């Protein structure tokens, strides 16, 4: 799904936060889905980054059971699990891929350490999982595109199938695309001002995800409906 895509036609992966939203996206015709950890956290009543690991895997399993399309899961920084345990627990949910980010608690990790973790995950998973390596340079680092490219290269060399420089400005995407081999994930923000998925594709993205934006838009709409009900 990720390879051989023409410019402007990225793989668009909505982010379900529960079984109902997963079915909505699958029924709309999307070929695959990618869960957002922040969206699932909100649906379970937790702040982003505070979902207990057992509840996260259980939520992912419910989403996978609800649809007939492939599901990738955002596993944050891996929850402190050993790579083999992380892989086996994810495979038990039925998911086919994962996001792994190179920061923890707002602190970006040393790239070699994260590359080693990715290599261990790849060794444990073989070809059973699609590994998307999140690069947090633009979120918690100095925002230098060259540093992001260096990190991306080391993660790809370690076995990542895709890299995800989350928060990269749109005008930097062509620079990243020129320096990064293989699939490139970009974040689409549904704020009415940021580029659309197609525009992100034209700038170099081959995969587009939404983080918690879809869940937050749905919650905002529900809030509007609740206000109307209160007004009678």
């Amino acid at each position: 799904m990720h390879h051989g895509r023409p410019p402007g036609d990225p793989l668009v992966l909505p982010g379900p936060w529960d079984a109902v939203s997963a079915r909505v996206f699958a029924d709309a015709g999307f070929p695959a889905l990618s869960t957002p950890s922040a969206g699932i956290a909100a649906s379970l009543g937790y702040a982003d980054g505070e979902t207990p690991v057992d509840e996260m895997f259980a939520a992912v399993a419910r989403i996978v059971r609800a649809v007939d399309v492939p599901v990738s899961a955002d596993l944050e920084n891996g929850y402190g699990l050993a790579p083999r345990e992380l892989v086996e627990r994810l495979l038990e949910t039925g998911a086919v891929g994962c996001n792994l980010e190179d920061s923890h608690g707002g602190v970006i990790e040393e790239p070699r350490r994260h590359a080693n973790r990715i290599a261990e995950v790849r060794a444990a998973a073989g070809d059973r999982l699609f590994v998307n390596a999140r690069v947090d340079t633009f979120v918690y680092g100095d925002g230098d595109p060259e540093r992001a490219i260096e990190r991306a290269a080391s993660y790809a060399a370690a076995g990542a199938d895709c890299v995800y420089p989350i928060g990269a400005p749109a005008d930097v995407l062509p620079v990243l695309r020129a320096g990064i081999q293989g699939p490139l994930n970009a974040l689409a923000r549904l704020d009415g001002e940021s580029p659309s998925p197609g525009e992100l594709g034209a700038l170099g993205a081959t995969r587009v995800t939404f983080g918690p934006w879809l869940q937050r838009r749905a919650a905002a709409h529900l809030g509007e409906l609740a206000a109307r009900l209160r007004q009678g």
Side-chain angles (χ1 to χ4, degrees):
M1 292 184 182
H2 294 78
H3 295 277
R5 307 192 69 88
D9 183 32
L11 178 63
V12 178
L13 302 177
W17 54 94
D18 59 14
V20 173
S21 60
R23 287 177 181 148
V24 168
F25 297 138
D27 289 347
F30 288 97
L33 306 174
S34 180
T35 70
S37 62
I40 288 179
S43 75
L44 297 176
Y46 295 104
D48 184 20
E50 295 184 3
T51 307
V53 61
D54 291 344
E55 293 195 45
M56 180 61 75
F57 281 116
V60 171
R62 288 192 293 270
I63 289 169
V64 172
R65 286 199 304 268
V67 296
D68 294 323
V69 298
V71 177
S72 182
D74 183 353
L75 298 183
E76 302 180 67
N77 191 250
Y79 305 106
L81 299 176
R84 182 167 296 279
E85 181 181 0
L86 184 74
V87 167
E88 293 305 323
R89 293 194 65 173
L90 180 60
L91 289 172
E92 287 173 0
T93 71
V96 300
C98 64
N99 281 4
L100 289 173
E101 58 197 51
D102 63 352
S103 68
H104 181 66
V107 178
I108 195 165
E109 290 190 359
E110 195 276 324
R112 181 174 298 179
R113 178 180 179 185
H114 191 63
N116 289 340
R117 181 186 295 115
I118 289 172
E120 292 173 349
V121 168
R122 172 54 67 209
D127 60 0
R128 295 178 293 172
L129 290 176
F130 184 93
V131 179
N132 189 30
R134 207 177 91 172
V135 180
D136 285 0
T137 303
F138 297 98
V139 180
Y140 301 119
D142 59 9
D144 184 343
E146 292 304 318
R147 293 186 189 278
I149 290 171
E150 290 172 2
R151 283 178 176 266
S154 66
Y155 302 159
D161 299 289
C162 182
V163 294
Y164 180 17
I166 187 172
D171 60 359
V172 174
L173 280 178
V175 176
L176 298 177
R177 176 69 286 164
I180 292 174
Q181 301 297 314
L184 175 64
N185 194 151
L187 173 68
R189 295 182 175 86
L190 303 178
D191 55 10
E193 299 178 358
S194 300
S196 68
E199 290 169 334
L200 290 171
L203 291 169
T206 49
R207 165 178 163 139
V208 174
T209 53
F210 300 87
W213 283 94
L214 292 166
Q215 186 271 335
R216 291 174 182 173
R217 283 287 295 272
H221 183 58
L222 188 60
E224 293 170 1
L225 292 176
R228 293 182 198 171
L229 291 173
R230 286 286 295 169
Q231 293 170 0

